[in-house]
Each structure stands twice: as C-alpha cells, then as structure tokens.
Amino acid sequence: MKRLRIGVLASGGGSNLQSIIDKSLDGTINAEVVLVVSNNSKAKALDRAQTHAIDAVHISSITEGSDEAADNRITQEMLERKVDLVVLAGYMKKVGPKLIKAYYNKIINIHPALLPKFGGKDMYGMRVHEAVVASAEKESGPTVHIVDDKYDHGRILAQMKVPVYPDDTPAILQRRVLEKEHEILPLTIQKLSEEWEN
Ligand code: GRF
C-alpha cells in the first residue's frame, strides 16, 4: 500500500509535527513526512525535521518578497515532492489561494478547541484556551478540519473532548488539549490515507 506523502506547515514548537513523524516511523500511520515549511526561521519544527533528515525550508513573505510569491513557492515545493496531503500543525499564517487550489480538500489543520466555537482570525495559541476558561465551558478539545479560504472554517473531520475543570488555568488546559492533539492528528491522517487508498 502506497504511503501518503505529507508536507507540514508549522510556525513554532512542532510537537504535533513530532507526533506525525514518530507515528510514521513506528508504522502506526501509513505516511511519511517529506517536507516541512515554516514562515519562522527559528521554528523548532525546522530543527525537528532536520533531525529526521526531512527537507526543511523557511519560506515567508519576507524571504520571497510578497504573500503571493510565498504562496507560489510553498505550492511549488509541495508539488515537486509529490506531496499528497498538506498538514497545518501550528501554522500561524493563512494559506494562500494557490496552495488551496492545488490541494483542494487536501489541506488539514489542527485547532485546539471544539470548532465552530472559539475559532476565527484572532483565535490562536493561548488566546483560545483563555477564551474557553473565561466562558466557563465544561469541555474543550482539538478539532481537525479541512482548510478553505476562511479561518478555522472548512469541514470538520474529527474532534476529541477533554473536561475543563473550574480551577483550570489556560496553561493547564492547553497541556490537556495538546496531549489529545498528538493522538487525533495522526489518527485522522491514517483515516484519510485509508480512505484515499480506496
Ligand atoms: C497547537 O495547539 C495547535 O492546535 C495550534 O498550534 C499549536 C501548535 O503546537 N494550531 P505545536 O507547534 O505542534 O507544538
């Protein structure tokens, strides 16, 4: 069975990237990460890729001169490596129209709350968990969804719930949700790889 070729876009620590790499190496998922792109040259995600001899590229509107040029370059790098699925794992930029067109329905994102709640342009990182705690939600958890041209908007593929306790801080809740992110993202990738095989 053909292994799904994955391109990852990440801006930060890359713990979700690591979960995909680990589960592809131990055979839990029938996929391999063939490219990691970051808009941030200092992203730990790039180091993690290099550690595993995965191509790691820094591409941003600054390196390329404009958002449009960055979109073109990212799309070209993905197509050159015959990437089947693009995964946004902590990517802080909106993906461009060229990539969305080239990978229609083949870009997924992980968001650390139960969409459609707590999503949108300014809902990222710790802000999400702050908002969940502030609104006294009883549960939260990661969502994996298809990426379209609106923030946190495309079709939901999977969610996992965790409890939110009254004395939770945003940081405590973030850790609880992140643990589940590391399960749900590889699981969803495996599901897609099986669906696309048929
Ligand atoms: C995760 O919480 C993810 O849901 C969000 O950004 C964070 C990235 O974490 N989109 P990491 O870089 O994978 O550790």
Side-chain angles (χ1 to χ4, degrees):
M1 203 160 66
K2 182 187 172 288
R3 301 189 88 192
L4 202 66
R5 296 173 67 78
I6 296 178
V8 174
L9 292 171
S11 302
S15 68
N16 278 292
L17 163 68
Q18 192 67 53
S19 77
I20 303 169
I21 294 174
D22 292 345
K23 294 207 159 91
S24 64
L25 289 176
D26 74 11
T28 312
I29 63 174
N30 188 34
E32 65 179 313
V33 180
V34 296
L35 173 65
V36 174
V37 172
S38 184
N39 59 309
N40 169 11
S41 64
K42 298 196 170 60
K44 196 170 164 206
L46 291 175
D47 301 334
R48 291 181 192 266
Q50 276 156 1
T51 301
H52 293 277
I54 296 166
D55 288 352
V57 196
H58 170 218
I59 302 174
S60 72
S61 50
I62 296 168
T63 63
E64 306 308 304
S66 68
D67 282 343
E68 193 189 351
D71 181 22
N72 285 339
R73 168 97 192 275
I74 292 169
T75 307
Q76 176 204 331
E77 299 282 352
M78 296 286 173
L79 290 172
E80 263 174 19
R81 289 173 183 78
K82 301 196 178 346
V83 162
D84 303 303
L85 171 71
V86 177
V87 178
L88 272 49
Y91 188 57
M92 297 305 184
K93 298 279 290 180
K94 201 169 181 193
V95 291
K98 185 124 192 212
L99 188 71
I100 291 180
K101 194 165 174 222
Y103 284 94
Y104 184 70
N105 272 338
K106 291 186 171 168
I107 310 175
I108 62 174
N109 178 46
I110 181 136
H111 183 78
L114 296 170
L115 292 174
K117 280 177 156 182
F118 305 105
K121 188 171 187 316
D122 296 317
M123 275 293 172
Y124 58 85
M126 194 58 86
R127 289 183 188 197
V128 177
H129 305 291
E130 282 165 2
V132 171
V133 166
S135 59
E137 292 290 310
K138 298 251 178 314
E139 50 189 18
S140 188
T143 300
V144 181
H145 66 94
I146 297 281
V147 171
D148 62 15
D149 59 352
K150 298 186 193 74
Y151 281 102
D152 301 327
H153 176 265
R155 183 162 56 91
I156 291 173
L157 299 174
Q159 292 184 312
M160 258 184 198
K161 289 181 179 167
V162 301
V164 181
Y165 299 113
D167 57 352
D168 274 347
T169 63
I172 288 172
L173 179 60
Q174 181 187 43
R175 280 198 290 279
R176 194 178 302 129
V177 173
L178 191 60
E179 254 179 52
K180 293 293 177 199
E181 292 185 34
H182 298 159
E183 289 178 35
I184 197 172
L185 188 54
L187 264 173
T188 309
I189 291 170
Q190 178 59 17
K191 236 181 110 200
L192 289 176
S193 119
E194 286 166 16
E195 274 174 30
W196 292 353
E197 189 63 30
N198 298 318

